[in-house]
Amino acid sequence: MVGFSVGGRVRHYKFEVEYMMRKPDCLEHVVMGINGQFPGPTIRAQVGDTLHIALTNKLFTEGTVIHWHGIRQLGSPWADGTASISQCPINPGETFHYRFKVDRAGTYFYHGHYGMQRSAGLYGSLIVDLPKGQNEPFYYDGEFNLLLSDFWHSSSREQEVGLSSKPIKWIGEPQSLLINGRGQYNCSLAAKFINTTLPQCQFKGDEECAPQILHVEPNKTYRIRIASTTALAALNLAISNHKLIVVEADGNYVTPFAADDMDIYSGESYSVLLHTNQDPNKNYWLSVGVRARKPKTPQGLTILNYKSTFASVLPTSPPPITPFWNDFERSKAFTKKIIAKMGTPQPPKHSNRTLYLLNTQNRVDGFTKWATNNMSLILPPTPYLGSIKFKLNNAFDQMPPPVTFPQDYDIFKPPLNPNATIGNGVYMFKLNEVVDVILQNANLLNGHESEIHPWHLHGHDFWILGYGEGKFKLGDDTKFNLTHAPFRNTAILFPYGWTALRFKADNPGVWSFHCHIEPHLHMGMGIIFAEGVHKVGKIPREALTCGLTGKKLVENGHY
């Protein structure tokens, strides 16, 4: 059902979020899905369209929200889909109406942003095409869409309880990797070629866990859209014998470059071009493997099938070998190749203020947490968007969080003071202020390692000005890339290093900035930005029916 509005169509969707039994990796488990589908339905729209998604919560015992990852929500901050930030959780049985405009072409996705519902399987693809008559700056004959995720056999509820236990019960590595919601746990597509005790998978093709095969014609060019909604795993994707030409990252065009394989972290999306220039009488592996953590999860596999060959014919060689998990130099080399395409907006030459954000693992009352400048985020019961707009000053900490950390902090040692505090203060910016954020990595509590963190910003894209080793120091800002800095919404913070970002606080609203690793966010690794909230127009009542804003509604009958 599609209506029309000036400058674009209104596309209507009805989403019902529910738990269901599925066999994503050939074993039956409970997953969260939409309209009986796992992953949720793919949304496809054109630039200028308005999406109207009526989301009904059919979960019985828990709230839900959906975040539209990479969509900036210009003029619709209440539709960002962040519980306790932009809206109240949608209660069981309730319907919430998300209405927002998609203003830029690109590869995006959506996912749950309440508790650990993304881990439970609440996600799907969101693709925005150019308006009719406009062409991409690259040619292709056809396209594929790959949504990558990781999957556990323990429920997300069990994982949440484990993470909030004393001592912590870590979620461990995923049991399988899924490509468009399909993986194999109890068999391997490549058993004949690799060292495994698993039997060879025998599929007819209609099984829930049978791989989705990519059918291609020889001597053509295909666009492969790739998005990672993993809860934990950083991934590496490769296609045997084929180069990948990277052309888009997080909805922004990049200067094209060729790669044999590519790293993709949780929260990132890409488009790559694939030229089908290999022997058309063979099929080829597409493999996805774990990076940045010691892998205990088998590769996710599917097949690139040249249509001149039967799809059931297996490739004749082993799948590509995923690069060694802790070869971070290789990861950095790939990441640094991503630079903006000519014509991308350039960063302002100077910033108005800088935040120095130290990422640490800490303890609070004996519980293991993640913290930023020693503050671990616990969200308040009243959504910030309402409490700031209506000046409800007792709804959250009024003390702004720290903007820096002690200069003598040694990032190579375990924290001298392992204890953090819990807070929910907000970094307030003036509208149109230019802000630099220096993300600083450090050692873990065990003193032996530093983990990768993909940081995702809602409501904005930012320029990545640079990456550095060790501790950020005076003068490092003179090396910032101000000419072709990539424009992204997710940035990687490498072990024992720093990443520098610049963004313009030009989107009135309240926005989450957080590590996209689901358990890290659950353990407090996030902060809140707010700007120009007084300029936000009428917020729909249904977004604010909880906490102090809900009380205000009841007392006044209106705002």
Side-chain angles (χ1 to χ4, degrees):
M1 177 167 111
V2 175
F4 287 87
S5 72
V6 177
R9 310 157 83 175
V10 179
R11 295 180 186 263
H12 295 274
Y13 290 86
K14 281 186 175 160
F15 273 17
E16 294 188 341
V17 174
E18 58 196 328
Y19 282 114
M20 49 206 192
M21 303 300 289
R22 285 290 179 275
K23 296 179 180 172
D25 65 355
C26 305
L27 296 190
E28 190 167 68
H29 284 281
V30 172
V31 297
M32 204 175 267
I34 296 171
N35 299 350
Q37 295 179 42
F38 168 77
T42 295
I43 292 177
R44 193 138 200 163
Q46 278 183 15
V47 169
D49 287 351
T50 295
L51 296 182
H52 178 189
I53 297 125
L55 188 117
T56 302
N57 178 355
K58 298 188 81 177
L59 296 174
F60 302 120
T61 58
E62 59 191 296
T64 192
V65 293
I66 286 185
H67 167 57
W68 316 94
H69 185 109
I71 306 299
R72 291 174 296 180
Q73 299 295 349
L74 302 171
S76 51
W78 49 267
D80 190 44
T82 47
S84 294
I85 302 170
S86 63
Q87 70 171 106
C88 298
I90 306 160
N91 289 324
E94 287 181 349
T95 299
F96 183 88
H97 295 266
Y98 289 101
R99 280 183 74 96
F100 55 91
K101 192 170 263 200
V102 288
D103 64 319
R104 268 184 326 172
T107 305
Y108 308 104
F109 59 104
Y110 61 84
H111 60 77
H113 218 290
Y114 183 62
M116 288 178 61
Q117 292 181 351
R118 178 157 57 93
S119 294
L122 185 52
Y123 44 73
S125 292
L126 198 172
I127 291 167
V128 183
D129 293 308
L130 285 169
K132 290 258 186 299
Q134 286 188 30
N135 293 323
E136 301 278 9
F138 41 82
Y139 172 82
Y140 53 99
D141 299 293
E143 74 171 58
F144 297 98
N145 184 40
L146 302 180
L147 187 62
L148 309 178
S149 54
D150 42 11
F151 188 71
W152 280 258
H153 291 168
S154 57
S155 73
S156 60
R157 283 293 185 79
E158 199 176 321
Q159 292 179 33
E160 281 177 20
V161 173
L163 293 171
S164 309
S165 295
K166 188 162 50 168
I168 188 171
K169 289 189 165 53
W170 178 242
I171 64 171
E173 299 305 306
Q175 273 66 63
S176 49
L177 300 178
L178 308 183
I179 303 171
N180 291 340
R182 295 158 177 254
Q184 298 81 42
Y185 173 71
N186 52 7
C187 67
S188 170
L189 292 173
K192 295 175 180 163
F193 305 102
I194 57 174
N195 183 11
T196 179
T197 53
L198 291 172
Q200 178 70 38
C201 295
Q202 303 291 339
F203 288 128
K204 298 196 296 291
D206 56 354
E207 298 88 349
E208 275 179 52
C209 58
Q212 279 187 353
I213 291 171
L214 281 61
H215 302 286
V216 296
E217 306 270 2
N219 301 313
K220 301 273 189 203
T221 299
Y222 291 88
R223 177 184 193 165
I224 305 179
R225 297 177 181 270
I226 308 157
S228 173
T229 183
T230 56
L232 178 65
L235 301 174
N236 180 272
L237 181 140
I239 300 177
S240 311
N241 298 42
H242 292 74
K243 290 251 188 235
L244 308 170
I245 314 290
V246 181
V247 291
E248 177 213 346
D250 295 354
N252 292 290
Y253 299 126
V254 300
T255 302
F257 67 95
D260 292 321
D261 57 79
M262 61 185 293
D263 287 340
I264 177 164
Y265 300 88
S266 178
E268 291 190 314
S269 64
Y270 289 97
S271 282
V272 298
L273 298 180
L274 176 89
H275 303 304
T276 51
N277 53 9
Q278 296 301 302
D279 182 347
N281 299 313
K282 291 181 176 175
N283 289 328
Y284 300 87
W285 294 111
L286 184 152
S287 72
V288 176
V290 173
R291 294 273 273 137
R293 303 183 64 81
K294 204 165 190 176
K296 299 192 172 86
T297 312
Q299 284 181 322
L301 296 171
T302 187
I303 285 169
L304 183 76
N305 161 239
Y306 278 70
K307 286 183 184 169
S308 37
T309 306
F310 286 114
S312 56
V313 174
L314 286 175
T316 52
S317 53
I321 292 168
T322 300
F324 206 61
W325 71 274
N326 60 358
D327 182 353
F328 295 120
E329 292 316 306
R330 186 187 174 111
S331 309
K332 290 171 196 169
F334 174 79
T335 301
K336 287 174 184 174
K337 280 185 190 154
I338 300 165
I339 58 170
K341 188 173 172 62
M342 286 285 286
T344 303
Q346 292 200 346
K349 291 289 176 253
H350 304 284
S351 64
N352 304 111
R353 62 186 289 194
T354 304
L355 305 181
Y356 299 89
L357 302 178
L358 178 69
N359 292 218
T360 52
Q361 193 183 47
N362 299 79
R363 289 193 196 94
V364 174
D365 299 332
F367 293 95
T368 306
K369 297 284 182 187
W370 284 93
T372 313
N373 289 356
N374 223 38
M375 191 194 86
S376 187
L377 180 67
I378 296 275
L379 293 169
T382 305
Y384 290 103
L385 189 62
S387 55
I388 296 173
K389 184 165 169 71
F390 303 118
K391 301 185 173 58
L392 305 175
N393 293 338
N394 49 348
F396 61 92
D397 298 347
Q398 293 302 298
M399 265 286 288
V403 296
T404 188
F405 57 93
Q407 285 311 293
D408 58 354
Y409 190 95
D410 187 344
I411 65 158
F412 295 104
K413 293 199 171 132
L416 278 175
N417 169 21
N419 296 312
T421 53
I422 276 173
N424 56 29
V426 176
Y427 292 96
M428 301 274 192
F429 304 126
K430 293 192 185 81
L431 198 57
N432 294 318
E433 199 169 12
V434 177
V435 182
D436 280 0
V437 177
I438 312 296
L439 293 166
Q440 177 68 63
N441 216 336
N443 214 317
L444 299 192
L445 281 169
N446 66 19
H448 300 306
E449 61 190 310
S450 180
E451 285 194 9
I452 276 187
H453 301 289
W455 276 82
H456 170 61
L457 177 58
H458 294 225
H460 308 77
D461 282 358
F462 46 65
W463 292 273
I464 302 179
L465 302 184
Y467 306 88
E469 307 293 325
K471 198 159 138 189
F472 186 84
K473 59 192 182 302
L474 207 66
D476 280 340
D477 54 347
T478 60
K479 298 185 286 238
F480 284 172
N481 168 13
L482 297 174
T483 52
H484 45 248
F487 208 31
R488 306 286 302 263
N489 62 51
T490 303
I492 310 312
L493 180 58
F494 289 104
Y496 301 112
W498 55 263
T499 299
L501 317 173
R502 179 168 292 174
F503 76 97
K504 198 169 182 190
D506 56 2
N507 189 6
V510 185
W511 309 106
S512 182
F513 182 42
H514 62 91
C515 177
H516 212 261
I517 291 173
E518 187 86 310
H520 290 185
L521 174 58
H522 188 72
M523 294 158 72
M525 199 170 193
I527 57 178
I528 306 297
F529 290 164
E531 68 224 39
V533 178
H534 61 288
K535 292 234 188 267
V536 172
K538 189 161 170 46
I539 301 167
R541 288 167 63 101
E542 61 177 349
L544 301 176
T545 52
C546 59
L548 297 177
T549 44
K551 187 166 176 281
K552 198 172 152 75
L553 259 175
V554 170
E555 286 169 357
N556 300 351
H558 59 84
Y559 288 123

